[in-house]
Amino acid sequence: MQNSATPTHCPYCALQCGMNLTPAPDGTVEVSERADFPVNRGALCGKGRTAPAVLSSRVRLTSPLVRSEGTLVPASWDEALDRIAEGLSRTRAEHGPDACGVFGGGGLTNEKAYTLGKFARVVLGTSQIDYNGRFCMSSAAAAGMKAFGLDRGLPFPLEDIPKTGCVILVGSNLAETMPPSLRFFSELRENGGTLIVVDPRRTKTADQADLHLAPRPGTDLALALGLLHLVVAEGRVDEAYVQERTAGWEDARAAAMAHWPEHVERITGVSVPQLREAVRLFCEPEAAMVLTARGPEQQSKGTDTVGAWINLCLATGRAGRPLSGYGCLTGQGNGQGGREHGQKADQLPGYRKLTDPAARRHVAEVWGVDPDSLPGPGRSAYELLDALGTDIRSLLLMGSNPVVSAPRAAHIEERLRSLDFLAVADVVLSETAALADVVLPVTQWAEETGTTTNLEGRVLLRKRAITPPAGVRSDLEVLNGLAGRLGVEKGFPTDPEEVFEELRRASAGGPADYSGITYPRLAEENGVFWPCPEAPEDGEDASLDAPADDPVRDAAGAAHPGTPRLFLDRFATEDGRARFVAVSHRAAAEEPDDEYPVLLTTGRVVAQYQSGAQTRRVDELNAAAPGPFVELHPRLAERLGAAEGDPVAVVSRRGRAVAPARITSGIRPDTVFMPFHWPGEGRANTLTNPALDPTSRMPEFKACAVRVEAVQE
Ligand SMILES: Nc1nc2c(c(=O)[nH]1)N[C@H]1C(S)=C(S)[C@@H](COP(=O)(O)OP(=O)(O)OC[C@H]3O[C@@H](n4cnc5c(=O)[nH]c(N)nc54)[C@H](O)[C@@H]3O)O[C@H]1N2
Ligand SMILES: Nc1nc2c(c(=O)[nH]1)N[C@H]1C(S)=C(S)[C@@H](COP(=O)(O)OP(=O)(O)OC[C@H]3O[C@@H](n4cnc5c(=O)[nH]c(N)nc54)[C@H](O)[C@@H]3O)O[C@H]1N2
Ligand code: SF4
Ligand SMILES: [Mo]
């Protein structure tokens, strides 16, 4: 066991802040500042600082549990793994391989996500695998793929932000969701740049802005089109850039011209002078950026919405140029890597497509299987959860807590209960694990080594700093144990570096190429940005496995330096041009009416993380954020006769939730907001609408129609 400080990274969000961990006498670790990591330069939020509390055996699982006469009781690892293998085998024998489902998470390391995808396709032979990242940034990923031919959250390092001229931050509350990153935006303003925040609420982030636009939830598409209309009307299009580096402008332009500013004002509630001011701030400086987060993305039209914001960047020549570009602020610790290596329904490692014959051949060869044995694409996350108990009879779940985090959660909870067999691997007894037939206690961040890829596309080595307690095993050991029991002895190593070596080969030549990255290199450098292809061996012709003008391939010779900045010479499309999309505004899947006259939107608070499975077990964080609430405008509160702290009921077509009122003039009077971190009576997802984006299959977490009622105590 190590005694000195280990430089590593936080278990939670996509910033993957650097921290030092030193083993403490009680077996946990102490967190201390690690100033050398450029993303956070030592700064941590409260969640990162208190993360070791979840290592304590007082709050975590330390023994496998199996259901016996209705209750979960401790069992040996052999018994637990045998039961899971039996459960999955029985389902496969009775209903076929596609009746076995697998659900993963964007918090899993690259090694785990890769192995989980391989396990589903090779061991279970099922097409039914997806993960919680579908609920996160899938709309931005789909839009980025369409426009640029590649999806990497940020196409530049965060360090570029202070040097640009203007940033439009659309639906991100990073002052609460990524606090150490706020520094980049303060520095931007100190350097004379401007910040525009688009959010229906005056958040802590909006407080920092030069201009705050507060649209009705679900109207970002109209807003972006209105801005583009003004860009054209005011003669601010960069014609030479559009000519040289893009395709599809005429149709996109025509679509935007149909969105008159006055019309956009009526849809969004953002005034025409504010629209004009935003265009001026965005267009006047030499360089500018648009960054989106969950606000515009978690909509049933999230892909088109992000596409419209990308259009704005393309029309003004603000993509693929230094200090300019569009980026998505990915959310989970490995939100980026977790979407690249095959736990997604339609995907193979290296961000390859499961439907591409060449991709299938390449990966099947690495896996030592027949390409024809690989199943095709399966259902998306919500559709998979919705099929539990009907088409899907058994589920293996790793790294998500859908009882709290899935839309229309009461229905999903009921689907989980209707399964023939549910196995959950988790570090704590989450609300979802509590429903399982078998629960496996797994190691967590400080106790195991693995790589994550942060929101900048920077691949990082998260190093083990302490010895895990007896009784827990890693997710890789779990998958190895299950594979063996299901008749696949080889190909499921338990050493993360060995898995990474295989991942390198599987990703080689793919869009997210990690083949030039190694553990020793990651330990030495502060992360490496993908794509990072392996330098060809002496005498080998680099052009053999890459198109001659492939932007990601370096000349033969020295180790590839990685790619901090994408698209500077060309976009990753076949012809190197970015694609405009011709999109028009449309309403949310559920708009307010007489019965449900108010819009509900949902999101986060700084002291809790996601479903709260981990952070609700930390005293300091619970003291700061003890429970759910309903944020509402004083006018709405007055109409209800509700005072601060009074319980109010929020009712949608899916159900009813009750939480204390939090009254603020910082929210639109036609909108209420609830954070989604809690189960039970105040569960926001009891209310949310699982209407899906047609392309990304992202549910509409950010807009549904509700009625708000006073509750008699
Ligand atoms: N403290 C904390 N930090 C986290 C997380 C956490 O759970 N807690 N989770 C991590 C993860 S996985 C993610 S994905 C990120 C998410 O990070 P963010 O996207 O910043 O988080 P959210 O609070 O979901 O949404 C951001 C803002 O969108 C606004 N919004 C709501 N509806 C709309 C709309 O229709 N249009 C626009 N423009 N804005 C709208 C909300 O008011 C909210 O302020 O955070 C990461 N960091
Ligand atoms: N209403 C509403 N709902 C939302 C959102 C919203 O904005 N509004 N946001 C959505 C978004 S962006 C996201 S990302 C999802 C997230 O929601 P979830 O998918 O529920 O994410 P977590 O709460 O992080 O769940 C991770 C679980 O895995 C466990 N875990 C952590 N690390 C590991 C590991 O290494 N191995 C294993 N086996 N388990 C581990 C944790 O203890 C926890 O129980 O929620 C979505 N739901
Ligand atoms: S901002 Fe994110 S990565 Fe940084 S300490 Fe907080 S939770 Fe961890
Ligand atoms: Mo997320």
Side-chain angles (χ1 to χ4, degrees), residues 398-420:
M398 213 171 237
S400 182
N401 185 14
V403 167
V404 179
S405 59
R408 196 186 171 198
H411 169 71
I412 294 307
E413 186 172 344
E414 181 210 302
R415 294 289 86 220
L416 284 158
R417 287 182 195 277
S418 73
L419 280 165
D420 294 346

Side-chain angles (χ1 to χ4, degrees), residues 569-584:
D569 302 321
R570 67 197 299 284
F571 294 98
T573 52
E574 247 168 50
D575 59 9
R577 290 166 176 269
R579 293 283 181 285
F580 280 97
V581 286
V583 289
S584 294

